[in-house]
Amino acid sequence: QVQLVESGGGLVQAGGSLRLSCAASGLTFSRYAMGWFRQAPGKERAFVAAISWSGINTGYADSVKGRFTISRDNAKKMVYLEMNSLKPEDTAVYSCAAAVNTRGLGSYYDRSDEYDYWGQGTQVTVSS
């Protein structure tokens, strides 16, 4: 049984930082690219960041480039999202997801329909 469990969300003031973690179990972690998505109230789920299985290749939404950093530790089956210079518009539920590598081991994925497994999400609230 595959499980993705996020942690690290919370309330932070604008300009602050948070580090989200996602613990994976029940899957061969190194076979999966990983991603973070977010969903704000009344909005569709949106891509935030993704990372290839090796961690060498990463991709980011334009809105978070230069502020967020995705990383992974395959030995610990963990993926992280370091979020700096947070803005009120970053407020959302953040979910991690796992995608089977289908386009080569250096690939990452930025579409939600490419992901096979999802976590429940963790709330991030940024106050102004």
Side-chain angles (χ1 to χ4, degrees), residues 18-101:
L18 282 174
R19 188 193 196 207
L20 305 184
S21 299
C22 173
S25 61
L27 75 170
T28 304
F29 190 65
S30 60
R31 293 182 180 176
Y32 289 81
M34 300 296 294
W36 286 95
F37 288 75
R38 67 186 181 186
Q39 188 166 20
K43 294 188 176 181
E44 292 187 354
R45 183 161 55 193
F47 169 73
V48 176
I51 189 166
S52 63
W53 77 274
S54 65
I56 292 176
N57 295 323
T58 58
Y60 298 91
D62 288 343
S63 59
V64 307
K65 278 181 184 176
R67 300 188 297 124
F68 291 11
T69 302
I70 188 171
S71 62
R72 65 188 293 164
D73 184 331
N74 285 350
K76 295 181 178 179
K77 295 188 177 182
M78 297 288 295
V79 63
Y80 306 98
L81 186 68
E82 187 75 35
M83 305 186 296
N84 299 313
S85 302
L86 282 162
K87 305 174 181 180
E89 52 264 43
D90 294 318
T91 295
V93 175
Y94 284 72
S95 299
C96 71
V100 174
N101 290 307

